[in-house]
């Protein structure tokens, strides 16, 4: 389990560094996150609960993507990829198998708020045209895992 946690942590850091510096992330990092984080969730819960939570989480993320698509299409009159990056969408899907539904929605929304606050704080002097959302969210999810692994929160997979 330790090696999986180390690889997952390195992958989150890699996503952050690539997204922050280059605004693009290697595609193969997202399946690694999904598989490793999904495996950790699977090992800490019942198979039935893992399957049900994953389905609900994927549905939640799909609805969120649909809302962004509809907003981009009808309100902004642009393509969805002009409003959110493909890497962000891949990360959303990869993260949807990480935690139980309540924990996932709480951490996911908190990660979005964290990303907004960090981006506003870091870009006070200049306004870049895009936000490294996948990178910021990776940092937040890594921090969530670190808090869980340290024992501060023991029931992250069961809430």
């Amino acid at each position: 389990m330790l090696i999986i946690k180390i690889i997952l942590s390195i992958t989150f850091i890699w996503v952050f560094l690539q997204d922050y510096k280059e605004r693009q992330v290697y595609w193969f990092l997202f399946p690694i996150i999904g598989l490793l984080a999904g495996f950790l969730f699977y090992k800490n819960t019942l198979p039935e609960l893992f399957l049900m939570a994953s389905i609900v989480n994927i549905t939640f993320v799909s609805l969120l993507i649909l809302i962004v698509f509809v907003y981009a299409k009808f309100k902004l009159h642009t393509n969805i990829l002009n409003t959110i990056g493909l890497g962000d969408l891949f990360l959303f899907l990869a993260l949807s198998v990480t935690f139980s539904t309540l924990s996932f929605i709480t951490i996911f929304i908190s990660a979005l708020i964290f990303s907004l606050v960090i981006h506003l704080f870091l870009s006070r002097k200049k306004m870049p045209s895009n936000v490294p959302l996948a990178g910021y969210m990776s940092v937040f999810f890594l921090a969530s895992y670190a808090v869980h692994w340290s024992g501060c929160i023991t029931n992250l997979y069961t809430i």
Side-chain angles (χ1 to χ4, degrees):
M1 284 297 220
L2 180 61
I3 191 74
I4 291 174
K5 293 176 182 179
I6 292 171
I7 294 170
L8 182 61
S9 299
I10 291 170
T11 307
F12 276 132
I13 293 168
W14 197 357
V15 168
F16 168 72
L17 292 175
Q18 276 196 316
D19 200 26
Y20 189 76
K21 289 182 179 180
E22 303 169 19
R23 296 298 198 267
Q24 57 186 2
V25 180
Y26 292 134
W27 67 270
F28 63 85
L29 296 175
F30 303 115
I32 291 172
I33 289 172
L35 290 171
L36 295 179
F39 178 76
L40 290 174
F41 178 33
Y42 181 80
K43 290 304 258 181
N44 286 287
T45 191
L46 297 171
E48 298 83 14
L49 295 177
F50 169 78
L51 183 61
M52 188 55 127
S54 296
I55 290 170
V56 172
N57 295 350
I58 289 170
T59 303
F60 171 75
V61 167
S62 298
L63 287 172
L64 181 68
I65 293 170
L66 178 66
I67 290 168
V68 171
F69 173 78
V70 168
Y71 184 79
K73 182 81 170 167
F74 297 110
K75 181 69 175 169
L76 300 176
H77 304 293
T78 186
N79 186 336
I80 187 173
L81 295 179
N82 292 334
T83 57
I84 190 166
L86 193 58
D88 303 331
L89 299 176
F90 285 155
L91 183 68
F92 290 179
L93 292 173
L95 292 174
S96 61
V97 295
T98 55
F99 298 111
S100 64
T101 301
L102 186 58
S103 294
F104 172 73
I105 291 173
T106 303
I107 294 171
F108 190 84
I109 291 172
S110 299
L112 289 172
I113 294 169
F114 169 81
S115 300
L116 174 66
V117 170
I118 290 298
H119 184 69
L120 291 175
F121 178 75
L122 292 178
S123 65
R124 283 185 293 175
K125 296 178 182 162
K126 59 181 170 80
M127 283 303 282
S129 61
N130 51 18
V131 178
L133 182 60
Y136 292 151
M137 288 185 73
S138 294
V139 168
F140 192 85
F141 268 81
L142 177 58
S144 299
Y145 274 114
V147 168
H148 174 66
W149 294 336
S150 69
C152 294
I153 298 175
T154 57
N155 57 356
L156 196 57
Y157 292 115
T158 58
I159 295 176

